[in-house]
Amino acid sequence: MEFETLFSLGLYFIAMLGIGLYAYRKSTSDVSGYMLGGRSLSPSVAALSAWCF
């Protein structure tokens, strides 16, 4: 792979980690609340997620 490709991929991973850490700190103070989304999904969003399986 070329340097530019690896560099952009590295930036992408760093950005995704930053967004994840920001959302984790903003949403809740424990891991279970983060993984469950604070149990604040509306029924329509929960129904749409059932199609993922």
Side-chain angles (χ1 to χ4, degrees):
M1 291 185 142
E2 294 183 20
F3 173 75
E4 293 83 11
T5 304
L6 291 175
F7 183 74
S8 62
L9 188 61
L11 283 178
Y12 174 77
F13 285 138
I14 290 171
M16 290 298 108
L17 283 172
I19 291 170
L21 287 173
Y22 173 76
Y24 171 71
R25 289 185 181 155
K26 185 177 179 184
S27 67
T28 184
S29 61
D30 62 347
V31 174
S32 64
Y34 174 72
M35 296 301 261
L36 297 173
R39 297 191 186 264
S40 62
L41 291 177
S42 66
S44 60
V45 173
L48 287 173
S49 69
W51 288 98
C52 293
F53 293 106

